[in-house]
């Protein structure tokens, strides 16, 4: 199938098929995993500020619950469809399994443009979504979290609505909440932090000194901005950042904290003093040591992968590399840290948040960060060793580890022959 016609759902199915084949897993493992166990499509009528009623499409996909409740983000984005949400929920299964969390994969989306909506409209949409899916989620069933264009405030409205439906507080139904209603210290920065732990490990393996390295970032939202900040703390020089509407490029380095302030004020990184703009392909092909795609799916493609000059690609986004681009990067000898490992920091601290909610016992930021570091470093280590031992890419190794864990649980539960 050509790269153009292959959608992300087909990509993940192919990844599962290949993984099952390599593992020699029985047919039922692929048959169970090739689609979500449950997929909900809802419509959500919302009273807009001008008095009109607009109806939004919403989705929630629960891939598997073999290892535990479904877990994964909920995005608000103008371009989402059922197949994309299904694929994202499937990647969450493997992301959770790679780092050993007791969860299956989940993902949701509402098709909307929050940038053009007032806070009141976003709140009514968030509450409407929960009223539509309320019977199908819960701390032991499916636990949503922030994703693209959603944030702790949106989680707070959703927890509140869910608690009203349940007639009791239920903080464990969502993660990524504000600190004062059951959020966890360290959750906001966790995906960026986890990504940088994987970069640090990878750099050590290939003998790259981060103090003399350069980093390029695609995406500067919650994940990208903190990844940039932590890369800078590790001694790397951030030379370029691009978002959907433009870039900030300065070969002498960008100050991440100043760039964050600039973006908060101007709503874009474009025009940051001393920087120039770049196209997306120019950004991907800049000479640098570390490239971090931290935006959306299908950003590294056969069109731009051949020109990538980085030594390490750390996938902080979900599914940023097409299979064709993946092969090209692999053939060029670039170390690609797969999304299901490099972006697992967020869901790992979501797990910590959920544990704290269930126990009503809260941890210090140091406890959160130390536990996160241990989990990510251990997972990196076992996947790196697996990739060396079986002479496969880090991505293939990660899928082998993840699918094997899921298949073992199916076996234990008596789902297989
Ligand atoms: N949306 C994040 C992800 O894709 C976090 C999910 C979660 O915390 O449940 O990994």
């Amino acid at each position: 199938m050509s790269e153009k016609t292959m959608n992300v759902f087909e990509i993940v199915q192919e990844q599962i098929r290949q993984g099952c084949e390599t593992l020699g897993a029985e047919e039922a493992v692929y048959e169970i995993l090739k689609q979500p166990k449950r997929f909900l499509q809802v419509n959500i009528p919302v009273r807009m500020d001008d008095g009109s009623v607009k109806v939004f499409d919403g989705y929630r996909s629960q891939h598997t619950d073999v290892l535990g409740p479904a877990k994964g983000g909920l995005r608000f984005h103008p371009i989402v469809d059922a197949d994309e949400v299904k694929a994202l929920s499937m990647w969450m299964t493997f992301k959770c399994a790679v780092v050993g969390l007791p969860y299956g994969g989940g993902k949701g989306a509402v098709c909307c443009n929050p940038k053009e909506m007032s806070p009141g409209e976003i709140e009514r949409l968030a509450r409407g979504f929960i009223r539509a899916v309320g019977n199908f989620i819960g701390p032991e069933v499916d636990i949503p979290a922030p994703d693209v264009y959603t944030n702790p405030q949106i989680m707070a409205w959703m927890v509140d609505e869910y608690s009203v439906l349940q007639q009791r507080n239920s903080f464990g139904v969502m993660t990524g909440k504000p600190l004062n209603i059951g959020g966890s210290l360290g959750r906001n920065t966790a995906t960026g932090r986890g990504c940088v732990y994987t970069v640090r490990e990878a750099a050590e393996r290939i003998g790259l000194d981060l103090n003399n390295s350069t980093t390029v970032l695609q995406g500067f939202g919650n994940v990208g901005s903190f990844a940039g900040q932590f890369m800078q703390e590790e001694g790397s020089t951030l030379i370029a950042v691009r978002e959907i509407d433009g870039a900030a490029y300065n070969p002498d380095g960008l100050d991440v904290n100043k760039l964050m302030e600039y973006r908060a004020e101007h709503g874009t990184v474009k025009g940051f003093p001393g920087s120039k703009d770049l196209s997306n392909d120019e950004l991907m092909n800049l000479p640098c040591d570390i490239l971090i795609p931290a935006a959306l799916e299908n950003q590294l493609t056969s069109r731009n992968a051949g020109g990538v000059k980085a030594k390490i690609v750390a996938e902080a986004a979900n599914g940023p590399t097409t299979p064709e681009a993946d092969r090209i990067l692999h053939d060029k000898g670039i170390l690609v840290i797969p999304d299901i490992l490099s972006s697992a920091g967020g869901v790992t601290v979501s797990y910590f948040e959920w544990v704290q909610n269930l126990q009503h016992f809260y941890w210090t930021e140091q406890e959160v960060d130390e536990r996160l570091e241990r989990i990510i470093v251990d997972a990196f280590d076992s996947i790196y060793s697996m990739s060396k031992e079986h002479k496969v890419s880090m991505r293939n190794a990660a899928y082998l580890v993840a699918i094997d864990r899921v298949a073992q649980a199916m076996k234990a539960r008596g789902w297989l022959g």
Side-chain angles (χ1 to χ4, degrees):
M1 186 158 334
S2 91
E3 199 181 15
K4 280 198 197 73
T5 55
M6 201 167 187
N7 74 14
V8 279
F9 183 52
E10 288 159 346
I11 291 174
V12 64
Q13 282 186 327
E14 181 57 19
Q15 286 166 334
I16 299 170
R17 202 193 52 73
Q18 278 176 18
C20 288
E21 203 176 287
T22 312
L23 283 170
E26 65 186 81
E27 186 63 23
V29 175
Y30 176 71
E31 290 301 315
I32 295 170
L33 293 177
K34 73 177 186 192
Q35 60 208 338
K37 173 171 177 160
R38 179 152 69 176
F39 183 78
L40 301 168
Q41 181 161 358
V42 295
N43 71 48
I44 311 152
V46 175
R47 169 94 43 209
M48 306 305 278
D49 290 347
D50 66 4
S52 67
V53 172
K54 212 168 151 185
V55 183
F56 294 88
D57 288 329
Y59 310 93
R60 185 74 192 169
S61 174
Q62 298 163 355
H63 179 220
T64 170
D65 57 2
V66 66
L67 282 163
K71 182 85 193 81
L74 171 66
R75 63 178 58 175
F76 281 4
H77 198 271
I79 310 162
V80 283
D81 61 40
D83 273 0
E84 183 184 5
V85 176
K86 287 179 188 175
L88 288 161
S89 74
M90 291 152 94
W91 277 321
M92 284 308 299
T93 294
F94 305 116
K95 193 187 291 192
C96 293
V98 152
V99 285
L101 306 181
Y103 287 139
K107 199 71 153 208
V110 177
C111 191
C112 66
N113 188 353
K115 289 183 176 172
E116 287 170 1
M117 294 167 71
S118 72
E121 289 169 342
I122 294 175
E123 176 176 352
R124 291 191 291 279
L125 178 59
R127 291 182 184 277
F129 180 78
I130 291 300
R131 285 195 299 276
V133 305
N135 281 340
F136 303 95
I137 62 170
E140 301 297 338
V141 181
D142 179 8
I143 308 136
D147 200 81
V148 179
Y149 298 161
T150 50
N151 56 35
Q153 176 60 72
I154 294 175
M155 299 303 114
W157 289 322
M158 291 190 171
V159 165
D160 185 65
E161 193 66 27
Y162 185 78
S163 297
V164 170
L165 292 176
Q166 298 294 312
Q167 291 290 292
R168 68 176 74 91
N169 276 340
S170 183
F171 290 171
V173 67
M174 317 281 297
T175 59
K177 300 178 293 292
L179 288 178
N180 50 14
I181 55 156
S184 175
L185 290 163
R187 173 62 187 86
N188 210 21
T189 53
T191 314
R193 200 181 273 284
C195 169
V196 174
Y197 289 145
T198 66
V199 172
R200 210 185 54 195
E201 293 303 302
E204 205 181 295
R205 301 301 193 291
I206 65 166
L208 173 70
D209 175 10
L210 287 183
N211 282 307
N212 288 312
S213 71
T214 51
T215 296
V216 166
L217 256 177
Q218 189 211 30
F220 206 57
N222 173 267
V223 178
S225 59
F226 288 118
Q229 202 175 49
F230 296 128
M231 284 308 296
Q232 188 169 282
E233 278 173 27
E234 290 289 333
S236 189
T237 306
L238 182 67
I239 57 167
V241 175
R242 188 170 199 286
E243 289 196 288
I244 187 91
D245 58 353
Y249 168 53
N250 184 343
D252 296 329
L254 302 160
D255 181 317
V256 184
N257 297 327
K258 290 210 175 94
L259 188 61
M260 279 165 125
E261 281 166 24
Y262 180 89
R263 186 183 180 273
E265 199 182 321
H266 298 84
T268 175
V269 296
K270 198 170 147 181
F272 181 64
S275 76
K276 66 173 221 175
D277 196 10
L278 289 174
S279 73
N280 198 44
D281 287 352
E282 283 170 332
L283 177 105
M284 295 296 198
N285 293 342
L286 277 178
C288 65
D289 297 300
I290 300 129
L291 173 62
I292 306 181
L296 291 169
E297 301 92 72
N298 292 346
Q299 301 299 305
L300 280 161
T301 64
S302 56
R303 204 187 57 229
N304 56 25
V308 171
K309 298 181 186 64
K311 299 182 182 74
I312 296 171
V313 173
E315 297 181 337
N318 292 299
T321 310
T322 65
E324 186 56 32
D326 203 28
R327 271 188 289 277
I328 297 171
L329 298 177
H330 185 73
D331 291 348
K332 284 166 72 87
I334 296 170
L335 178 55
V336 179
I337 315 169
D339 51 359
I340 58 173
L341 174 61
S342 204
S343 76
V347 73
T348 302
V349 177
S350 275
Y351 166 59
F352 299 160
E353 180 175 331
W354 177 75
V355 167
Q356 293 171 76
N357 295 152
L358 299 185
Q359 298 184 336
H360 305 278
F361 179 68
Y362 288 84
W363 309 354
T364 64
E365 190 153 7
Q366 195 186 348
E367 283 170 312
V368 170
D369 291 345
E370 281 171 7
R371 286 183 162 122
L372 170 65
E373 182 170 10
R374 198 174 331 130
I375 288 181
I376 299 290
V377 170
D378 286 354
F380 185 98
D381 204 43
S382 53
I383 289 160
Y384 189 79
S385 312
M386 172 83 119
S387 80
K388 289 287 150 214
E389 195 182 318
H390 295 277
K391 297 195 172 48
V392 294
S393 68
M394 288 279 285
R395 188 182 319 277
N396 287 348
Y399 273 93
L400 294 182
V401 168
I403 295 173
D404 192 44
R405 278 193 185 142
V406 173
Q408 295 296 340
M410 286 178 181
K411 182 129 196 96
R413 290 180 68 158
W415 294 7
L416 303 179

